[in-house]
Amino acid sequence: MYAGIDVSATRGFDVAVLDDDRRVALLAKARDLDAAGLIIRGLPPETVVAVDAPPAPSRGFAGAGKGYRVAEQELHRVGVSLYPVPSSTEASPAWMRAGFALYEVLEKAGFPPFLEGAARRGVSIEVYPHLTYRVLTGDARGRIPKLEWSRAALRRKVAGLTRDATQDALDAIAAAYTAWTFANDRWVGYGDPREGVIVAPRSDARDEAVPPGPDQLSLGIEATPRAATADETIPRQTPFAQRVMRYVARIPPGRVATYGDVARACGTPTGARAVGTLVARRSFEMPSHRLVDATGRPSPAYPGGPERQLERLAAEGIAIANGRVDLNLHRWREQT
DNA sequence: CGTCTGACTGCCC
DNA sequence: TGGGCAGCCAGAC
């Protein structure tokens, strides 16, 4: 099961649950934390719970002492802004404090916050419905009213939407859908694993529609994607880009591949450089730290610096010698 | 459509 | 080893 929770200080918690067919199985409103806890404790242990709120105050890893979270910085770079999380509970707005408390309830119920590593069930994740809508529609909202925009984004992704769903309910459903992408290998994590990541659907999840059901909402409007500019990317998907992203996504933790490996695997044997340029633009959409050059060195332009890339590799158990990884030991080639 | 720009590579000292 | 250099290819304008 996949649960999504929308947090509001004054309106309480909206909870949505999707089944494996992405059908809305439950849509409930919990007035307070106790009521939410009741629902949470009823969830199967292998559920992924997505929450529209940060799990804890910022640890300030980003922005040279500015105190931002890395996730906020990274999202800003792709043109998505969100409410910055203060570094202390006291300084946080009420809805955020409600969120912190909710994560505690979740942890006690067996859904500890997901920090890093491979996606797994039985965890809670942080999501941002606005970002999910944006990935799904492929564009910023523009002049479309928020409620319509949200519905259009979810329309083909989730079965069983009701006509009268409120914005809070839609946000909870968007969160639950994002939990589904997380558990089904279609997700991206923005941020630093040490302070937690914000999970969003990968942009190629856009293509996969759920089969429409009889009670499916039909809106008659579509959010029309327009060509993205360099600054507000969520870039479009070319076949080459798709192949590269899918391939990189398959590199297991603890292994690496070279740009040339990826190019060859994607049918463009001499396109290593093109792989590099692509990855540079969308590094947050794939485990790009697992890409090294043909001599085993990290990428000079890795976000946070090449040292950061090596740290991430080391965290996966890869030995680093002389600032490079031993390809004979760690190079991954497809086929078991 | 040409032109330009890279998180690349292989080859030659 | 390590640096210089010329190809290379997809994407952005």
Side-chain angles (χ1 to χ4, degrees), chain A residues 47-336:
Chain A
T47 303
V48 175
V49 185
V51 181
D52 172 21
S58 168
R59 295 180 57 188
F61 286 137
K66 291 227 176 63
Y68 292 129
R69 297 191 303 166
V70 177
E72 285 146 23
Q73 191 187 44
E74 289 181 354
L75 285 173
H76 184 75
R77 258 187 251 173
V78 294
V80 174
S81 54
L82 65 167
Y83 196 100
V85 181
S87 52
S88 74
T89 306
E90 298 73 46
S92 306
W95 68 269
M96 252 184 221
R97 293 204 298 270
F100 298 157
L102 178 67
Y103 277 97
E104 284 175 28
V105 170
L106 282 164
E107 174 136 34
K108 280 193 200 115
F111 305 99
F114 168 80
L115 289 176
E116 73 184 300
R120 56 190 179 277
R121 291 162 186 274
V123 291
S124 54
I125 59 176
E126 176 182 358
V127 300
Y128 184 38
H130 182 89
L131 174 61
T132 293
Y133 298 139
R134 177 149 168 181
V135 172
L136 292 180
T137 59
D139 200 4
R141 176 159 62 94
R143 302 172 58 197
I144 305 171
K146 170 122 192 183
L147 196 63
E148 286 178 36
W149 187 59
S150 316
R151 281 176 165 164
L154 291 172
R155 195 178 127 213
R156 293 219 225 63
K157 293 299 168 189
V158 167
L161 278 182
T162 54
R163 233 166 255 279
D164 54 357
T166 62
Q167 184 71 58
D168 287 340
L170 289 176
D171 288 352
I173 293 170
Y177 168 73
T178 311
W180 178 85
T181 65
F182 177 77
N184 289 278
D185 195 29
R186 292 169 176 78
W187 64 289
V188 194
Y190 291 89
D192 187 304
R194 291 172 296 170
E195 61 182 358
V197 294
I198 294 178
V199 173
R202 228 192 288 139
S203 51
D204 56 355
R206 226 187 290 171
D207 312 330
E208 303 171 23
V210 71
D215 49 354
Q216 183 112 22
L217 189 68
S218 173
L219 285 164
I221 67 154
E222 287 283 333
T224 7
R226 77 176 142 72
T229 67
D231 282 345
E232 44 174 313
T233 118
I234 301 266
R236 54 188 255 272
Q237 296 286 337
T238 63
F240 175 78
Q242 280 187 29
R243 285 197 294 272
V244 169
M245 293 179 48
R246 297 216 170 111
Y247 189 82
V248 175
R250 285 206 297 277
I251 306 172
R255 310 297 292 280
V256 297
T258 70
Y259 297 88
D261 291 343
V262 178
R264 276 185 293 277
C266 295
T268 317
T270 53
R273 198 163 186 181
V275 170
T277 34
L278 175 81
V279 173
R281 295 191 75 85
R282 321 156 68 142
S283 56
F284 304 128
E285 296 194 43
M286 61 195 109
S288 65
H289 62 288
R290 299 190 189 126
L291 294 181
V292 293
D293 75 13
T295 73
R297 278 202 230 297
S299 316
Y302 186 87
E307 318 76 35
R308 182 83 193 98
Q309 181 179 356
L310 291 178
E311 282 172 33
R312 284 192 169 168
L313 289 174
E316 296 182 351
I318 295 185
I320 311 291
N322 298 324
R324 67 172 83 179
V325 336
D326 187 338
L327 289 176
N328 291 319
L329 256 40
H330 298 112
R331 188 182 219 150
W332 175 74
R333 289 195 178 78
E334 189 142 40
Q335 95 195 298
T336 50

